[in-house]
Structure formats: structure tokens, C-alpha cells
Amino acid sequence: MSGEPILELTGVRKGFGPVRVLHDVDFTVRAGEVTALVGDNGAGKSTLVKCVAGIHPMDAGTVRFAGEPVRVAGPRDAARLGIEIVYQDLALADNLDIVANMFLGRERGPGGLLDEAAMERAARETLASLGVRTVRSVRTPVSALSGGQRQTVAIAKAVLWDSRVVLLDEPTAALGVAQTWQVLDLVRRLADQGLGVVLISHNMADVFAVADRIAVLYLGRMAAEVATREVTQTQVVELITAGRSGELGLARPETAVV
Amino acid sequence: MSTRTESPAAADFGIDTTSRSTGEAVRDYLARLRAGDLGSLPAVLGLVALVVVFRVLSDGFLTLDNTANLLAQGAGKMIIAMGLVFVLLLGEIDLSAGTASGVCAAVMAMHYVRAGNLLGGMGTTVFLVFACGLAVAALLAVFLRIWAGAALSLLTLVLAVVGAPANPWLEMLLALGVGAAIGVITGFLVSTIGMPSFVVTLALFITWQGVILRFIGEGGVFGIGTDPVLFAVANGNMSVLGSWLLCAVVICGYALVVLGEHLSRLRRELVTTPTPLVVTKTVCVAVASIAATYALTRNRSTNEYADIRGVPYVVPIVLVLLAVGTYALNRTRYGRHVYAVGGNAEAARRAGINVSRIRASVFVVGSSTAALGAIVYSSKVGSVDPQAGGLNTLLFAVGAAVIGGTSLFGGRGKVLHAVVGGLALAVVENGLGLLKQPAAMVNIVTGLVLLLAATVDALSRRRAARG
Ligand SMILES: Nc1ncnc2c1ncn2[C@@H]1O[C@H](COP(=O)(O)OP(=O)(O)OP(=O)(O)O)[C@@H](O)[C@H]1O
Ligand SMILES: [Mg+2]
């Protein structure tokens, strides 16, 4: 099943008021592959992810999941399909502890009650599998965690579920060297397990270390979707900054500015 | 996966410690205090200081008679504060809680005084508006999918239209239903229309005040003290046997819940508080309950021919509400979502929580609880007049929650805070009264105490933000 498209976006348009942020973006996530989504600040990467998550309604465009057309009207729809997202701004409730955050909106327990024991166990196992060694206790409120620890919690939250697609929006931005490798390793492992993984990152070394394919957003347009082994870092950087590199990229990037 | 294979992984989790020593737990607590998470500590210390000061200044203060009286005096507003905690947890405010409770009191009293004939009591036009309001509230509650609010509004509508004869229990239910309906309307305006709660509830504050006046009439008063049940709510006492039974239920209940959970967590190797601390807490609760029950079951009559003893009914009423509220916030999915929305509404939304439903629901909880408070304070004075729920009822209720340690910025608070803060304010009101201080003084002190509590809240929040 590796290489099969699991999530296909076509013609995604999104604007905030008069500002067009995404222009007819096509984007494909394949099962068993890591797709890096790169682009300059403000290119629209996070917006695209939020459209997939159902947080921002798309103005136009279609979504196919595992070949079937689907409508993602809200975060619950995304979760039901098995799409998990690690947001750039993390989206954790500071006043709740790690366990409560990891299960937020999907708490375990009979009726309207909470099964704290089951949730705490699962949370600890997931964190342990990520090799987290610096958090004192899973009952620590998130407000007491460092930036990197928060990021780990946000990632653990996405890994906890039996998901089929995981989108990580700059998951390593606040991490130290060792933790970054842990996360990249995890990203690779998830893909090897057959998940479709999207990694958004500004770090070319990270991208080239784990990604099978690279998609470049340039001012809200998809400039190129290429296999990692077919391009060099210089070419990707050119695509990011100019929208074009040799034969690759937008036909007339200068018109994209409008 | 079996539990066996899971355990090593769980044990592997960093330096995660499931059990701490008592010393570590105390150090953690101190660290939390330094980080600005004060909880109800300032309120508890303040309460102790106030009791000491008034004991020194007035011989009449710490008498059994006055203590029981103080509890009954403060209970109504304390209960309103318990409901407000839910609203404050979202960082919202309900300025109309006081006068909304007054409307509930007025409907309840009118039903009693008019022997169930609300149509006659209100006049046709007003009654039609009242009934329409209830119907609209029921519909809005269905729209918001707050089923309890819908059921209560509808039930109240039926009771009002049918004109069921006067019955104290029915009247209390009516008050509760009117409270729920008011909460649905407030919640809808805040969550669905999207107006700031400050504006909505300020407008409703004035509106409800007018409604009370319309129901009761200028200079009018509805006496409810003649009904033995309505009178007993805030003025009656449990029998001596009943008091001790209550004491036993409180101690056993607390021990079962706290120790039971502690043992089960220990057995499953989950994160726990140190056993000595849990045991100490339980013993403290037991000793305090026994001491209080002993004191309150002695004769406290100031008149040598009368014999007054037993725990006032308001005590079990407050305790039941405290238990239910705490359970709802800590043990249910709903409570978890209330905290989440208060802590980070956007995160809650992305987690698939229906934020606007939660936002509306806290106003329903707040107003319904305020209605229960109204029953208690109306019972205390034995009548309902156009000032019901006005004056400083709201100030007192918000003050109680905030003084107790609930944050005005949302995300932090407990129902217990309302009880602790409510006690502190009841002590202020009662103590200054005994010292023959005029109402002016009581208002000034209450206001300043609230300001002080809000300052502590803001400062501790700043401290927490600085990390
Ligand atoms: N909620 C919003 N309302 C209005 N404009 C928005 C909103 N969210 C994003 N934008 C705009 O959309 C554009 C794309 O933003 P987006 O966050 O998707 O960029 P990005 O590619 O993720 O950048 P970065 O690398 O800095 O995270 C920006 O110009 C931003 O100002
Ligand atoms: Mg971004």
C-alpha cells in the first residue's frame, strides 16, 4: 500500500476576507511516505493544514481520503477519518495536565465519566515510546512545562490515536538536538508503519533527512511536488524563495505576487 | 497487548515518579504557591484571621447561636457563588445572577401567595409574556442541545399554565425552572449571538430588576414564612440523630471517595499524593465534622425556655451542592471541557469540543444554582420583596468565588472556593453587624476585600505567566 495516495486535496482555495491565502492548491499525501511541506513564512502552510483539519472551512476545493470523496466540516470529522495534527501553536490548555490535554475531546470512560486510570496509562506509554525523559510526571499541568516539553506533549497527543495521516506543523521548532532526532526518527517510523506523514519545517537538513517527497508552497500556490532524491537543497531553497528553479516550479512566479 | 508487556514501558517514562514522599509533596506545594497558584490559601488564612479578630472584638461572635445564624445568613449568596464559579471558569461574568435569582424568588413566592394562580398574580399580559419567555427558552435550549435546560423550562411552562395548587416542593421546582430558563436565554445571547457576557448580563441585570418589581409591585411583599417547609429551609435544624447521621455520611463518604481512589491508584501504579497526606486530610475532615456536629447539637437557645439544637438544614444543602459541583467538574467529561474552554478555547475547539454549547451551559448552571440560592435567602427572611437579589447580592457572590481563589481570567477555580470565600464574607457581614457598624461600613469592607482578592488573582496570574 506504500505510495498509494491516502489524502488528496485538489483546487483548495482559502481567503481571509479580501486576502487570498491559498490559490487552487493541489496536494497529495501518500501512505507510507513522509511528505515535507515547505515554504517561506506566510506561504500558507499552516492555513492548508487547518483546512485539512476542518478548522478553516475551504472556499473551494475537494478532499479525497483513501480514494473516497469526504467532507471535513470540523475537527471531529478529521479525527474520525484518522487525521491527526500537531499545530504550530500547539493548542494545549495550560490549566490542564498532560493526560487531560492528550485526551482532550476524546476522553475515555463510561457515559459522561472519566476513566483516569486508563488515560494515564496510555499517556505514559505513548510518552515513553517517544523517549521523553525530562517530564517529571504525567500529572504536571502544561503551564509548568518548557517549550520543548509542550511540543513533545503535542506530538504525543497526535501519536496516541490509531491514525492514518499525521500532519506536523514545525514540530521540532523548539526542540533540542536530541529531541529533534527523536521526533524525526518518530516521523520516519510512523511512515514506515504505513501512515501518511506530512512534515512542515524550515530546516532543510531535517527535510532531506526524512522526507520522501517535498512539496513547495510559494505565496499560496503549489510551486512543485517532487521526490527528494531528484532535487538538491539549493533547488528547494530557490523554489521556496523564488517559486522557480530551472525547469521546476511555477511558470511565471512574478504574477503570483498579485 | 497485555498489561505485563505494558508495564516496563510505563515504568520507563523518564524520571516520572508515581509516588512522592511527603516532603517532596510539601516542597511541590510550596513551589506551586511561589509560582502564583495560591488556590484558596489566602481565603482560608483570611477567614481564620477574621474569626480571631471578631472573637476578640465581640463576645457575641463565636457563640453557638451566632455561628448557626451566620451559616444561614451566608448560605443563600454562597450557593449563588457556587454556580458563578462555572461562569468564571470560562472567564465570563454573570452580573445578572443576583436579580435573576430575585425573579426566581418572586415567581416562587407569587405561586405560594396566590395559591398557584400565576395568571391571576401577574395579569393576563404579563403572564403571556412570561409563558412565551419560558417557551422560547425551551426552544433555545433544544437548539443549544442543553437538554436539562430544555426539560426544566418546559416543565416550568407546564406547571405555570396548568396552575398547579401551592405546594412548597413545587414552588422550589418552579424557582429552579425559571432559573434554568433565564440561564438558557443568557447563554444563547453570549454564546450564539456572541455578545460579551459583561454587556448581556448588565442589560439583563436591569431587566430582571424591573421584572421583579412588576411581579411584586411597588412596596409589595410576598410572605412565605407561613409555609413550614419554605420556612425551614434556612431556619430549621436537623434532629440530633439526623445531625450525627449527616456527620457519619460526610466522614464515610469522604473517606470512601478519597481513600478508595487513593488505594485504587496505588494498586494500579498511577500518580498519587503521598499516603500520609491523604490520611491526614481524611482525619482532619473527620475531626472537624465531629467537632462541628457536637457543637451544633448542643442547645444554643439564648432563651432558657426554648431548646434549639441540631445542624441547620443549610449545611447539608451546601454540602450536597458542593459534592455535586465538585464531582461534575472533576470527574465528568463536561467538567473537563469546561476547564479546557476556560484555559484555551481555541485548543478546545480544535479538539472537537462544542465550545459554544459549553459556554451557554455554564450560564444555565449559574442561573439554576442562583435560583437555589434564592430559595435559601428568601426562606431566611421569610418573604420576598422587590429588593430580592438586588443590593449587594451579586457583589457578594462574585466576591465569594474570587476571594475563595477562583480566577476572574478563567481556567482556574473550584466550587469549594465559593464556600470558603462565602464563609469569609459572611463572617465580615455578621461580625461588623455585631459591632453595630452601619451598612455603609459593611459595604466598604466587603468591596475592599473583593478588590484585594481580585488583586491577588491578577498578581498571581502575572506571576504564573512570567513562569
Ligand atoms: N486567521 C487568519 N486571519 C487572517 N489572515 C490569516 C489568518 N491565518 C493566516 N493568515 C494569513 O495567511 C497567510 C498564510 O499564513 P500561514 O500561517 O498559513 O503561513 P505559514 O506558511 O504557516 O507561515 P510560517 O512559516 O510563518 O508558519 C499569512 O499572510 C497570514 O497573515
Ligand atoms: Mg505556519
Side-chain angles (χ1 to χ4, degrees), chain A residues 149-164:
Chain A
Q149 289 171 330
R150 281 165 197 240
Q151 207 143 44
T152 323
V153 171
I155 294 168
K157 180 180 178 179
V159 179
L160 186 61
W161 310 96
D162 279 333
S163 43
R164 300 182 63 186

Side-chain angles (χ1 to χ4, degrees), chain B residues 103 106-107 110 121-122 126 130 210-217 222:
Chain B
V103 173
V107 173
M110 184 190 285
M122 293 184 190
V126 177
F130 175 71
V211 170
I212 302 169
L213 195 58
R214 187 76 184 74
F215 281 175
I216 301 180
F222 292 154

